[in-house]
Amino acid sequence: MTLEERIAAVKERIAAAAREVGRAPEEITLVAATKTQSSQTIRSAIAAGITACGENRVQEMTAHLDDDAYGSAALHFIGHLQTNKVKYVVGRVDLIESVDSLRLLEAVEAQGAKLGVVQDILLEVNVAGEASKSGISPLEAPELARLALEMPHVRLRGLMAIPPVAHDAGANRHFFHQMRELFVDIRQNVTDNVYDMDCLSMGMSGDFEDAVREGATLVRVGTALFGPRMSAAQDQEGKSWG
Ligand SMILES: *Cc1c(COP(=O)(O)O)cnc(C)c1O
């Protein structure tokens, strides 16, 4: 299959999963996880209908930005972000999906203040409580959301999660369900502006249909669009998922 055909196939699967549960396919944005891809591949993907790209390494993203690879597509940062690299990301991306600690949240706020910008963010939740992964615990999420709402240079748009790699169909559905409940709870009970809280980012190549069935508005898909990446080690850098 060509890249265009794979993009069309993933979009069709998203639409089918949405319709199964009575959702409109337009409610879901396919975010292409572009790590390890070349600027040329990213351009081809955008030409073939990708409207949002997710990057998880600052250095790669910076190189692609210098190349103007993303064109009119939205740019999301989805990887583990070190506080000393916040300056390369805040104000340059549409959404930081992976705010995974109070320390990082404060660093994003500080950089936003310095630049005079409001940065859209999601809080990354370690929904399965995996020791190897970053992310706040579901129990901490409401409090961190409350703190984010008080920060003038941060706009909380929702939550993101990276559950364990799904080996069986349906294996992660309960985690997605739990994320949806947490998202609704925070939207209703913590935020006073429910309209800003419109993003629930969950689902990857192995499980995005279940994520859509459980309410995802953003799915981050790499392998199903671009094929297998060169080496698993490349993915592990920054321990953003695994
Ligand atoms: C790589 C990556 C994805 C996509 O993973 P695939 O299994 O290749 O679809 C999604 N989210 C994050 C944070 C990633 O780093």
Side-chain angles (χ1 to χ4, degrees):
M1 274 206 281
T2 65
L3 178 59
E4 274 174 27
E5 287 166 342
R6 286 193 297 258
I7 291 170
V10 168
K11 283 189 174 176
E12 191 36 58
R13 286 168 62 192
I14 290 170
R19 283 191 292 263
E20 248 179 63
V21 294
R23 301 184 66 198
E26 308 80 62
E27 288 173 28
I28 300 115
T29 300
L30 170 59
V31 180
T34 42
K35 60 174 169 269
T36 78
Q37 305 303 328
S38 66
S39 291
Q40 192 45 52
T41 300
I42 292 170
R43 278 192 205 97
S44 304
I46 292 165
I50 288 295
T51 58
C53 295
E55 285 289 354
N56 67 348
R57 266 170 295 167
V58 172
Q59 215 179 334
E60 266 186 56
M61 184 183 87
T62 303
H64 292 320
L65 279 169
D66 290 346
D67 273 357
D68 199 18
Y70 305 110
S72 58
L75 178 57
H76 296 190
F77 194 81
I78 63 176
H80 178 62
L81 181 56
Q82 291 166 303
T83 50
N84 63 341
K85 294 198 175 150
V86 154
K87 57 180 177 288
Y88 304 114
V89 178
V90 171
R92 304 185 81 182
V93 304
D94 298 285
L95 182 66
I96 302 176
E97 295 200 15
S98 43
V99 174
D100 57 7
S101 68
L102 175 58
R103 204 166 149 249
L104 178 57
L105 179 64
E106 288 171 340
V108 171
E109 166 62 23
Q111 183 66 13
K114 193 171 165 187
L115 298 178
V117 300
V118 177
Q119 177 65 59
D120 281 6
I121 65 150
L122 307 182
L123 295 177
E124 179 179 347
V125 177
N126 187 349
V127 66
E130 294 170 279
S132 62
K133 271 188 197 152
S134 48
I136 55 175
S137 79
L139 287 173
E140 293 169 318
E143 181 56 23
L144 211 60
R146 211 168 274 121
L147 292 171
L149 288 163
E150 285 165 8
M151 296 181 176
H153 303 94
V154 156
R155 183 162 72 133
L156 180 64
R157 297 284 302 275
L159 303 178
M160 181 268 226
I162 311 175
V165 174
H167 294 293
D168 305 304
N172 278 339
R173 189 154 176 175
H174 67 290
F175 288 129
F176 296 141
H177 187 78
Q178 199 184 324
M179 281 301 300
R180 169 76 189 172
E181 293 196 326
L182 185 63
F183 175 71
V184 169
D185 176 49
I186 290 175
R187 191 170 58 186
Q188 289 177 350
N189 299 320
V190 178
T191 63
D192 49 12
N193 184 351
V194 297
Y195 302 106
D196 277 352
M197 282 283 287
D198 56 357
C199 297
L200 181 56
S201 176
M202 55 188 192
M204 308 187 0
S205 291
D207 54 19
F208 66 84
E209 285 150 305
D210 270 349
V212 168
R213 290 181 187 111
E214 294 294 344
T217 67
L218 302 170
V219 293
R220 309 174 311 269
V221 179
T223 309
L225 299 176
F226 302 111
R229 287 177 289 274
M230 288 302 184
S231 89
Q234 292 178 306
D235 284 346
Q236 297 299 331
E237 195 179 296
K239 286 208 171 92
S240 60
W241 73 292

